[in-house]
Amino acid sequence: DAGVIQSPRHEVTEMGQEVTLRCKPISGHNSLFWYRQTMMRGLELLIYFNNNVPIDDSGMPEDRFSAKMPNASFSTLKIQPSEPRDSAVYFCASSFKWQGATNTEAFFGQGTRLTVV
Amino acid sequence: AQSVAQPEDQVNVAEGNPLTVKCTYSVSGNPYLFWYVQYPNRGLQFLLKYITGDNLVKGSYGFEAEFNKSQTSFHLKKPSALVSDSALYFCAVTLGDSWGKLQFGAGTQVVVTP
Protein backbone atom coordinates (compact mmCIF):
# COMPACT_ATOMS: atom_id res chain seq x y z
CA ASP A 1 0.00 0.00 0.00
CA ALA A 2 1.27 3.48 -0.81
CA GLY A 3 0.18 4.85 2.53
CA VAL A 4 -1.93 7.95 3.09
CA ILE A 5 -1.67 10.21 0.08
CA GLN A 6 -2.18 13.94 0.33
CA SER A 7 -2.26 16.53 -2.41
CA PRO A 8 -0.97 19.01 -3.10
CA ARG A 9 2.27 18.87 -1.10
CA HIS A 10 2.60 22.63 -1.21
CA GLU A 11 0.01 25.32 -1.85
CA VAL A 12 0.53 29.05 -2.03
CA THR A 13 -2.57 31.14 -2.42
CA GLU A 14 -3.74 34.69 -1.99
CA MET A 15 -5.92 35.77 0.86
CA GLY A 16 -9.57 35.38 0.02
CA GLN A 17 -9.11 32.47 -2.35
CA GLU A 18 -10.63 29.05 -1.88
CA VAL A 19 -8.25 26.23 -1.02
CA THR A 20 -9.01 22.52 -1.23
CA LEU A 21 -6.77 19.90 0.31
CA ARG A 22 -7.17 16.27 -0.64
CA CYS A 23 -6.54 12.98 1.10
CA LYS A 24 -6.66 9.35 0.09
CA PRO A 25 -6.57 7.10 3.17
CA ILE A 26 -5.06 3.64 3.33
CA SER A 27 -7.35 1.10 1.72
CA GLY A 28 -9.44 -0.70 4.34
CA HIS A 29 -9.10 1.96 7.00
CA ASN A 30 -12.39 3.29 8.35
CA SER A 31 -11.25 6.27 10.41
CA LEU A 32 -9.84 9.46 8.92
CA PHE A 33 -8.39 12.47 10.71
CA TRP A 34 -7.46 15.98 9.63
CA TYR A 35 -4.81 17.75 11.71
CA ARG A 36 -3.22 21.16 11.48
CA GLN A 37 0.32 21.80 12.67
CA THR A 38 1.75 25.22 13.50
CA MET A 39 4.66 26.35 15.62
CA MET A 40 2.36 28.24 17.95
CA ARG A 41 -0.36 25.63 18.47
CA GLY A 42 1.33 22.33 17.70
CA LEU A 43 -0.82 19.53 16.31
CA GLU A 44 -4.53 20.30 16.41
CA LEU A 45 -7.21 17.79 15.54
CA LEU A 46 -9.65 19.55 13.22
CA ILE A 47 -12.12 16.80 12.44
CA TYR A 48 -12.36 13.05 12.24
CA PHE A 49 -14.57 10.66 10.37
CA ASN A 50 -15.56 7.10 11.07
CA ASN A 51 -17.08 5.07 8.25
CA ASN A 52 -17.29 8.30 6.21
CA VAL A 53 -19.39 10.04 8.87
CA PRO A 54 -18.03 13.09 10.72
CA ILE A 55 -17.82 12.13 14.39
CA ASP A 56 -16.24 15.19 15.93
CA ASP A 57 -15.68 18.52 14.20
CA SER A 58 -15.18 20.56 17.34
CA GLY A 59 -11.66 21.39 16.28
CA MET A 60 -12.67 23.11 13.07
CA PRO A 61 -11.68 26.73 13.66
CA GLU A 62 -14.64 28.46 12.07
CA ASP A 63 -17.20 28.33 9.33
CA ARG A 64 -14.59 29.02 6.71
CA PHE A 65 -13.41 25.45 7.17
CA SER A 66 -15.35 22.47 5.90
CA ALA A 67 -14.51 18.80 5.38
CA LYS A 68 -16.18 16.05 3.44
CA MET A 69 -15.70 12.35 2.98
CA PRO A 70 -17.91 11.28 0.08
CA ASN A 71 -16.56 7.73 0.09
CA ALA A 72 -14.11 5.50 1.94
CA SER A 73 -11.19 6.41 -0.30
CA PHE A 74 -11.34 10.19 -0.47
CA SER A 75 -11.65 13.22 1.76
CA THR A 76 -11.32 16.96 1.27
CA LEU A 77 -10.66 19.87 3.57
CA LYS A 78 -11.78 23.19 2.17
CA ILE A 79 -11.00 26.69 3.37
CA GLN A 80 -13.09 29.48 1.92
CA PRO A 81 -12.10 32.25 2.04
CA SER A 82 -8.52 31.64 3.10
CA GLU A 83 -6.65 33.98 5.44
CA PRO A 84 -2.94 34.38 6.25
CA ARG A 85 -3.49 32.86 9.71
CA ASP A 86 -4.54 29.62 8.02
CA SER A 87 -0.93 29.10 6.94
CA ALA A 88 0.15 25.78 8.40
CA VAL A 89 0.93 22.18 7.55
CA TYR A 90 -2.24 20.13 7.23
CA PHE A 91 -1.99 16.41 7.84
CA CYS A 92 -4.40 13.67 7.02
CA ALA A 93 -4.22 10.35 8.87
CA SER A 94 -6.16 7.12 8.76
CA SER A 95 -6.63 4.11 10.99
CA PHE A 96 -8.83 1.08 11.41
CA LYS A 97 -11.20 0.86 14.32
CA TRP A 98 -13.10 -2.19 15.38
CA GLN A 99 -16.60 -1.56 16.64
CA GLY A 100 -16.49 -0.05 20.12
CA ALA A 101 -13.00 -1.30 20.80
CA THR A 102 -9.44 -1.34 19.63
CA ASN A 103 -7.87 1.25 17.42
CA THR A 104 -4.93 0.51 15.25
CA GLU A 105 -2.36 3.23 15.16
CA ALA A 106 -2.98 6.13 12.80
CA PHE A 107 -0.87 6.43 9.68
CA PHE A 108 -0.06 9.92 8.50
CA GLY A 109 0.35 11.43 5.09
CA GLN A 110 3.25 13.68 4.21
CA GLY A 111 1.16 16.78 4.76
CA THR A 112 0.21 19.83 2.72
CA ARG A 113 2.13 22.99 3.48
CA LEU A 114 -0.30 25.86 2.98
CA THR A 115 0.87 29.43 2.68
CA VAL A 116 -1.72 32.18 2.40
CA VAL A 117 -0.26 35.53 1.39
CA ALA B 1 -12.00 15.09 28.38
CA GLN B 2 -8.62 13.69 27.51
CA SER B 3 -5.24 15.39 27.38
CA VAL B 4 -1.57 14.66 27.01
CA ALA B 5 1.34 16.57 28.52
CA GLN B 6 4.93 16.49 27.39
CA PRO B 7 6.67 18.60 30.01
CA GLU B 8 9.94 19.10 28.13
CA ASP B 9 10.15 21.22 24.99
CA GLN B 10 13.59 19.83 24.25
CA VAL B 11 15.80 17.01 25.45
CA ASN B 12 19.53 17.07 24.82
CA VAL B 13 21.57 13.91 25.07
CA ALA B 14 24.99 12.73 23.94
CA GLU B 15 25.21 9.89 21.49
CA GLY B 16 25.43 6.57 23.28
CA ASN B 17 23.68 7.82 26.41
CA PRO B 18 20.20 6.76 27.46
CA LEU B 19 17.32 8.82 26.12
CA THR B 20 14.05 9.45 27.94
CA VAL B 21 11.14 11.52 26.66
CA LYS B 22 8.38 12.10 29.20
CA CYS B 23 4.64 11.90 28.69
CA THR B 24 1.73 12.04 31.11
CA TYR B 25 -1.92 11.68 30.22
CA SER B 26 -5.35 12.37 31.58
CA VAL B 27 -8.38 10.38 30.47
CA SER B 28 -11.58 9.22 32.10
CA GLY B 29 -11.37 5.62 30.99
CA ASN B 30 -8.95 3.10 29.59
CA PRO B 31 -6.25 4.85 27.60
CA TYR B 32 -4.64 3.72 24.41
CA LEU B 33 -1.26 5.41 24.17
CA PHE B 34 1.03 6.03 21.22
CA TRP B 35 4.40 7.50 20.40
CA TYR B 36 5.18 9.08 17.04
CA VAL B 37 8.31 10.65 15.60
CA GLN B 38 8.50 13.46 13.07
CA TYR B 39 11.55 14.26 11.00
CA PRO B 40 11.85 17.68 9.29
CA ASN B 41 9.35 18.23 6.49
CA ARG B 42 7.86 14.79 6.97
CA GLY B 43 4.66 13.33 8.35
CA LEU B 44 4.46 11.57 11.69
CA GLN B 45 5.76 8.02 11.88
CA PHE B 46 4.40 5.51 14.34
CA LEU B 47 6.90 4.16 16.90
CA LEU B 48 4.93 2.09 19.39
CA LYS B 49 1.66 1.74 21.24
CA TYR B 50 0.16 0.49 24.47
CA ILE B 51 -3.29 -1.05 24.24
CA THR B 52 -3.36 -3.64 26.99
CA GLY B 53 -1.19 -6.32 28.56
CA ASP B 54 2.48 -5.94 29.38
CA ASN B 55 3.27 -2.46 30.65
CA LEU B 56 6.58 -2.41 28.80
CA VAL B 57 6.14 -2.12 25.06
CA LYS B 58 8.85 -2.29 22.46
CA GLY B 59 8.73 -0.47 19.18
CA SER B 60 10.68 0.57 16.14
CA TYR B 61 14.33 1.64 16.04
CA GLY B 62 15.11 0.27 19.52
CA PHE B 63 12.60 2.44 21.35
CA GLU B 64 10.46 1.24 24.22
CA ALA B 65 7.95 2.78 26.57
CA GLU B 66 6.52 1.89 29.94
CA PHE B 67 2.88 2.36 30.83
CA ASN B 68 2.46 3.37 34.47
CA LYS B 69 -1.18 3.56 35.43
CA SER B 70 -0.64 4.92 38.94
CA GLN B 71 1.49 7.78 37.65
CA THR B 72 -0.53 8.15 34.43
CA SER B 73 2.68 8.18 32.49
CA PHE B 74 3.98 6.65 29.28
CA HIS B 75 7.62 7.66 28.99
CA LEU B 76 9.60 6.83 25.86
CA LYS B 77 13.07 5.37 26.30
CA LYS B 78 16.05 4.23 24.33
CA PRO B 79 19.09 2.71 26.03
CA SER B 80 21.65 4.21 23.67
CA ALA B 81 20.77 7.26 21.56
CA LEU B 82 21.97 7.83 18.03
CA VAL B 83 22.50 11.12 16.24
CA SER B 84 19.85 9.97 13.78
CA ASP B 85 17.31 9.89 16.63
CA SER B 86 17.29 13.69 16.59
CA ALA B 87 13.69 14.57 15.73
CA LEU B 88 10.39 15.77 17.17
CA TYR B 89 8.58 13.19 19.30
CA PHE B 90 4.86 13.18 20.02
CA CYS B 91 2.88 11.28 22.61
CA ALA B 92 -0.80 10.66 21.87
CA VAL B 93 -3.80 9.20 23.68
CA THR B 94 -7.21 7.96 22.76
CA LEU B 95 -9.94 6.29 24.74
CA GLY B 96 -10.31 2.60 24.16
CA ASP B 97 -14.06 2.79 24.09
CA SER B 98 -14.38 5.97 22.10
CA TRP B 99 -14.67 6.49 18.39
CA GLY B 100 -11.03 7.24 18.10
CA LYS B 101 -10.32 10.89 18.88
CA LEU B 102 -6.53 10.87 18.92
CA GLN B 103 -5.12 13.68 21.05
CA PHE B 104 -1.45 14.67 20.71
CA GLY B 105 0.92 16.32 23.13
CA ALA B 106 2.87 19.45 22.22
CA GLY B 107 5.90 17.47 21.17
CA THR B 108 9.46 17.19 22.48
CA GLN B 109 12.45 18.05 20.33
CA VAL B 110 15.25 15.53 20.85
CA VAL B 111 18.76 16.64 20.03
CA VAL B 112 21.47 13.97 20.08
CA THR B 113 24.99 15.32 19.84
CA PRO B 114 27.97 13.29 18.58
Side-chain angles (χ1 to χ4, degrees):
Chain A
D1 197 313
V4 176
I5 300 174
Q6 291 186 246
S7 64
R9 289 293 308 277
H10 302 273
E11 177 80 36
V12 180
T13 190
E14 292 185 347
M15 182 174 62
Q17 296 297 308
E18 175 182 303
V19 175
T20 299
L21 311 181
R22 297 173 175 80
C23 176
K24 176 178 168 51
I26 291 174
S27 177
H29 282 187
N30 61 356
S31 293
L32 184 138
F33 308 83
W34 281 101
Y35 287 89
R36 177 171 69 176
Q37 186 177 34
T38 61
M39 289 292 291
M40 292 295 294
R41 301 174 69 92
L43 264 173
E44 303 174 274
L45 177 62
L46 301 178
I47 185 170
Y48 75 97
F49 297 82
N50 191 271
N51 294 324
N52 311 338
V53 176
I55 302 299
D56 186 340
D57 65 354
S58 59
M60 296 285 263
E62 49 197 276
D63 292 345
R64 297 184 298 107
F65 286 69
S66 62
K68 294 182 180 180
M69 192 164 187
N71 57 61
S73 59
F74 184 65
S75 176
T76 60
L77 178 67
K78 183 181 292 185
I79 308 173
Q80 180 185 21
S82 58
E83 298 182 1
R85 61 192 169 120
D86 301 331
S87 298
V89 180
Y90 291 81
F91 287 105
C92 175
S94 70
S95 70
F96 182 67
K97 179 161 177 64
W98 288 275
Q99 184 177 0
T102 311
N103 279 319
T104 67
E105 59 273 23
F107 293 83
F108 281 73
Q110 297 279 47
T112 295
R113 183 174 295 276
L114 173 65
T115 303
V116 183
V117 297
Chain B
Q2 57 191 61
S3 65
V4 178
Q6 293 181 242
E8 302 155 315
D9 292 336
Q10 183 165 314
V11 169
N12 298 301
V13 63
E15 187 174 32
N17 283 359
L19 170 63
T20 298
V21 186
K22 296 180 180 177
C23 171
T24 58
Y25 65 90
S26 174
V27 299
S28 54
N30 293 322
Y32 290 172
L33 295 153
F34 305 82
W35 275 102
Y36 286 81
V37 61
Q38 185 180 29
Y39 297 98
N41 301 314
R42 302 292 298 275
L44 277 71
Q45 297 177 29
F46 168 75
L47 278 179
L48 52 78
K49 65 184 176 185
Y50 171 81
I51 301 297
T52 187
D54 194 348
N55 289 343
L56 183 64
V57 294
K58 295 186 182 297
S60 307
Y61 312 119
F63 284 94
E64 60 186 29
E66 185 167 12
F67 172 64
N68 187 317
K69 188 173 183 178
S70 62
Q71 297 185 6
T72 63
S73 67
F74 189 58
H75 301 331
L76 180 71
K77 299 181 180 183
K78 186 171 183 179
S80 178
L82 301 172
V83 173
S84 58
D85 294 328
S86 298
L88 188 57
Y89 290 79
F90 290 95
C91 182
V93 66
T94 186
L95 280 175
D97 57 354
S98 77
W99 282 106
K101 184 171 183 174
L102 189 59
Q103 190 81 35
F104 282 85
T108 298
Q109 183 70 47
V110 169
V111 178
V112 183
T113 52

